[in-house]
Amino acid sequence: MAIPKNSFVLIDYTIRVKETGELVDTTIEEVAKNENRYEAEKIYEPLLVIVGENRVVRGLEEHIENFGEVGKEFSIDIPPEKAYGERDPSKVKIMGMREFLRNNIIPEVGKTVEIGGQIGIVKAITGGRVLVDFNHPLAGKTLSTTYRIIKIIEDDVEKIKMLLHRRYRRIPIERFNVSIDQTKNEVVIELPREIYLDRDLQLVKALVVEEIYRYIGKYNSIVFIERYTRAVEQPKQEKIEVKEQTQQQAEQLQVQQSSSASQ
Amino acid sequence: MAIPKNSFVLIDYTIRVKETGELVDTTIEEVAKNENRYEAEKIYEPLLVIVGENRVVRGLEEHIENFGEVGKEFSIDIPPEKAYGERDPSKVKIMGMREFLRNNIIPEVGKTVEIGGQIGIVKAITGGRVLVDFNHPLAGKTLSTTYRIIKIIEDDVEKIKMLLHRRYRRIPIERFNVSIDQTKNEVVIELPREIYLDRDLQLVKALVVEEIYRYIGKYNSIVFIERYTRAVEQPKQEKIEVKEQTQQQAEQLQVQQSSSASQ
């Protein structure tokens, strides 16, 4: 059963390296826990895949598009060319020890290093020479993938909430108050207070607007609403995913703006 | 005629050093031009003084509060203790040349330098020693000030527009669409599109909210509205006071967020 482009699909998945069975990624907390790969920082919940968006490995997205079916568990092998690509031997480089020291890195075998903007893994060290593999760690691997479509989202309000939630995954989806004004053909989004002081918020809005027009279309305008009520006059400290220094920045800004007046 | 605290007063002023007549600051373009002190970057327009806010030199604010009268031109001398303070001889320091070189500064007599977070003026250089005056350049000076109250703002909508405009002085005041919803006792502020991508916007909102509650009070909530209409789907390049790299940041954010999904 094909699933058309621009569909909003929620999936659970588990990806392993086929050869070794090693867990690469999973949306299922239990799987991560059972294999001692649980990360407290991570949010375990179904992932939003917008068919055609190209955010997940190509082999997975293509399978969803061509064979996807709600509720059915699929187990597929994704070859390197539809995942992280083939290994490129020319990306394994011999580098001088001096280049590492210049970057304040002490190379050790197995260590992940960043040199000249590229990330690589130290494979061997002999005398003053360091062998570094700049291939993606999953290049050349076939990925053994299990996935299940939890739901295909049909409702525009729910789609928009998902677009917002995937930008702020720590904010529960129901905290985004989305409605459609049918007469104006307008989307109205009331944002939760916890994100008001996020320095990226304005960029996120622009990106979400772009996504709504691209994947949902049809509306004339999108309105964002932020409400400051008097009772909670001072921004609360319960900010989520907001940089720590925000309050400090606010104070600095205050000072800067004061000093730009005549005093 | 006294003007009560928290009044919103628009003034034109010209401030000079009494001793020398040197122009310190003016809101009047013609004055700046006549004395070859015109700065193309600067916005020449009446300044908002909120009585009691303490953003302008104290002597000026006190005079407005105690004697202010709309339309009348006042000429007053403001002594150092009500302007930039007396000169503090202990702020004139002898420093080693080495400290400058360590900060990549080549000291020259008359040059303004920043050392250890403090701004000073190089007064003399002898051998390896540099004499720096860290007093404010206007410390110890009596300021000869002429000012005129253009208007006292009574209308809350206009007050709020002024609070917004002074944060974004390049945005004409009428571009801020402010209204009061009497039934909800709520201020509704629709922001102009030019500032949507300003990275400081969220901080500015929080500061303006705080100012509205502090100087105007009486409302229960303040709502900000930003509208993205389809015709101008892509953020225009006509941003004002917005850092150049914003688009680039948007793209980086896009990339980062993509890579945090499974690919």
Side-chain angles (χ1 to χ4, degrees):
Chain A
M1 194 178 85
I3 292 181
K5 283 258 187 315
N6 294 350
S7 295
F8 282 51
V9 180
L10 287 183
I11 64 165
D12 265 332
Y13 66 81
T14 297
I15 301 178
R16 295 172 191 281
V17 176
K18 183 179 168 67
E19 213 177 327
T20 60
E22 190 205 343
L23 186 63
V24 171
D25 193 12
T26 182
T27 56
I28 302 160
E29 190 166 332
E30 211 187 324
V31 172
K33 279 185 172 159
N34 286 345
E35 311 197 18
N36 286 319
R37 292 286 299 276
Y38 176 75
E39 296 166 53
E41 293 296 287
K42 205 174 145 159
I43 313 262
Y44 293 91
E45 65 179 5
L47 179 79
L48 174 65
V49 176
I50 303 174
V51 178
E53 194 190 22
N54 212 8
R55 264 196 190 215
V56 291
V57 288
R58 190 151 61 88
L60 176 56
E61 191 167 322
E62 281 182 8
H63 197 277
I64 293 170
E65 186 174 355
N66 296 323
F67 308 102
E69 198 172 316
V70 178
K72 182 169 170 186
E73 185 160 287
F74 292 96
S75 287
I76 55 172
D77 282 352
I78 303 174
E81 68 271 20
K82 296 202 168 182
Y84 292 91
E86 298 290 357
R87 278 182 59 77
D88 177 354
S90 74
K91 284 187 175 169
V92 182
K93 286 177 184 159
I94 296 167
M95 307 184 77
M97 179 68 87
R98 227 181 295 171
E99 194 157 351
F100 286 86
L101 302 181
R102 209 184 294 134
N103 287 280
N104 288 315
I105 300 167
I106 295 161
E108 290 164 39
V109 173
K111 194 171 177 177
T112 301
V113 293
E114 189 178 336
I115 294 260
Q118 279 194 300
I119 290 167
I121 292 172
V122 176
K123 289 294 177 186
I125 306 174
T126 44
R129 284 160 188 282
V130 182
L131 192 71
V132 186
D133 186 351
F134 287 106
N135 283 287
H136 189 286
L138 293 169
K141 310 280 191 198
T142 294
L143 302 178
S144 185
T145 300
T146 304
Y147 83 92
R148 197 163 67 87
I149 297 179
I150 305 300
K151 185 182 184 179
I152 298 175
I153 302 176
E154 305 285 356
D155 179 49
D156 285 353
V157 164
E158 206 182 330
K159 285 182 184 176
I160 294 164
K161 285 183 177 189
M162 278 306 306
L163 289 175
L164 292 159
H165 171 65
R166 77 169 174 181
R167 300 287 176 178
Y168 293 103
R169 292 183 65 192
R170 297 198 174 274
I171 308 278
I173 186 163
E174 64 274 12
R175 298 274 294 121
F176 297 99
N177 191 353
V178 177
S179 59
I180 311 272
D181 183 331
Q182 299 289 0
T183 38
K184 292 187 192 164
N185 198 26
E186 182 169 273
V187 177
V188 181
I189 299 169
E190 189 159 347
L191 294 172
R193 194 172 175 88
E194 301 94 293
I195 60 173
Y196 285 7
L197 278 185
D198 176 16
R199 291 213 103 197
D200 287 330
L201 179 55
Q202 295 306 109
L203 298 176
V204 168
K205 284 178 192 168
L207 294 172
V208 168
V209 163
E210 214 251 321
E211 288 165 357
I212 294 173
Y213 285 135
R214 193 190 309 163
Y215 300 119
I216 309 177
K218 94 184 166 201
Y219 298 105
N220 286 338
S221 56
I222 295 159
V223 169
F224 287 91
I225 291 181
E226 289 155 48
R227 176 171 275 108
Y228 294 78
T229 50
R230 195 155 201 188
V232 280
E233 194 169 323
Q234 290 296 341
K236 284 260 185 73
Q237 289 305 315
E238 41 158 301
K239 304 160 211 159
I240 291 180
E241 279 187 46
V242 171
K243 282 98 206 149
E244 286 300 310
Q245 69 273 32
T246 307
Q247 192 53 41
Q248 204 184 327
Q249 284 165 351
E251 281 152 21
Q252 277 173 5
L253 193 74
Q254 182 83 276
V255 169
Q256 280 167 23
Q257 291 183 333
S258 302
S259 63
S260 72
S262 105
Q263 179 160 274
Chain B
M1 195 178 86
I3 293 181
K5 282 259 188 309
N6 294 348
S7 296
F8 281 52
V9 179
L10 287 182
I11 65 165
D12 264 332
Y13 65 81
T14 296
I15 301 178
R16 295 172 192 280
V17 176
K18 184 181 168 69
E19 213 177 325
T20 61
E22 190 204 343
L23 185 63
V24 171
D25 193 13
T26 182
T27 56
I28 303 159
E29 190 167 332
E30 211 187 322
V31 172
K33 279 186 172 160
N34 285 345
E35 310 197 20
N36 285 319
R37 290 286 299 275
Y38 175 74
E39 296 166 52
E41 293 296 287
K42 204 172 147 162
I43 313 263
Y44 293 90
E45 64 180 5
L47 179 81
L48 173 65
V49 176
I50 303 174
V51 179
E53 192 189 27
N54 210 8
R55 263 195 191 215
V56 292
V57 289
R58 190 152 61 87
L60 176 56
E61 191 167 322
E62 281 181 10
H63 196 276
I64 293 170
E65 187 175 355
N66 296 323
F67 307 102
E69 199 171 315
V70 178
K72 183 170 169 186
E73 185 160 289
F74 292 95
S75 288
I76 55 173
D77 282 353
I78 303 175
E81 69 270 20
K82 297 204 167 185
Y84 292 91
E86 296 290 356
R87 277 183 60 78
D88 177 355
S90 75
K91 284 188 176 169
V92 181
K93 287 176 183 157
I94 296 167
M95 308 185 76
M97 178 68 86
R98 230 182 293 171
E99 194 157 351
F100 285 87
L101 301 181
R102 209 184 294 134
N103 286 280
N104 287 317
I105 301 165
I106 296 162
E108 290 163 38
V109 173
K111 195 173 178 176
T112 302
V113 293
E114 188 178 338
I115 295 260
Q118 280 194 300
I119 290 168
I121 292 171
V122 176
K123 289 294 179 186
I125 306 173
T126 44
R129 286 162 185 281
V130 182
L131 192 71
V132 185
D133 185 350
F134 287 106
N135 282 289
H136 190 286
L138 292 171
K141 310 281 191 196
T142 294
L143 302 179
S144 184
T145 299
T146 304
Y147 83 92
R148 196 164 66 88
I149 297 180
I150 306 299
K151 185 181 183 178
I152 297 176
I153 303 176
E154 306 286 356
D155 178 51
D156 285 354
V157 164
E158 206 182 332
K159 284 182 184 177
I160 294 164
K161 285 184 178 188
M162 277 308 304
L163 289 176
L164 292 159
H165 171 66
R166 78 171 174 178
R167 300 288 177 177
Y168 293 103
R169 292 184 63 194
R170 297 199 173 274
I171 308 278
I173 187 162
E174 63 275 11
R175 297 274 294 120
F176 297 100
N177 191 353
V178 176
S179 59
I180 310 273
D181 182 331
Q182 298 289 359
T183 39
K184 293 187 190 164
N185 198 26
E186 182 170 273
V187 176
V188 181
I189 299 170
E190 188 160 346
L191 293 172
R193 193 172 177 89
E194 300 95 290
I195 60 173
Y196 285 6
L197 278 184
D198 177 15
R199 292 214 101 197
D200 287 330
L201 180 56
Q202 295 307 108
L203 299 175
V204 167
K205 284 178 192 167
L207 295 171
V208 167
V209 162
E210 213 253 320
E211 288 165 357
I212 293 173
Y213 286 134
R214 191 189 310 163
Y215 300 118
I216 307 178
K218 92 181 166 204
Y219 297 105
N220 286 338
S221 56
I222 296 159
V223 169
F224 287 92
I225 291 180
E226 290 156 46
R227 177 171 273 111
Y228 293 77
T229 49
R230 194 153 201 188
V232 280
E233 193 169 325
Q234 292 294 343
K236 284 259 186 76
Q237 290 305 316
E238 40 158 301
K239 307 158 209 162
I240 291 181
E241 280 187 49
V242 172
K243 283 96 203 151
E244 285 299 309
Q245 69 272 33
T246 306
Q247 193 50 42
Q248 205 184 326
Q249 285 164 351
E251 280 153 21
Q252 277 172 5
L253 193 75
Q254 183 81 274
V255 169
Q256 278 166 25
Q257 291 182 335
S258 302
S259 63
S260 72
S262 103
Q263 176 159 277

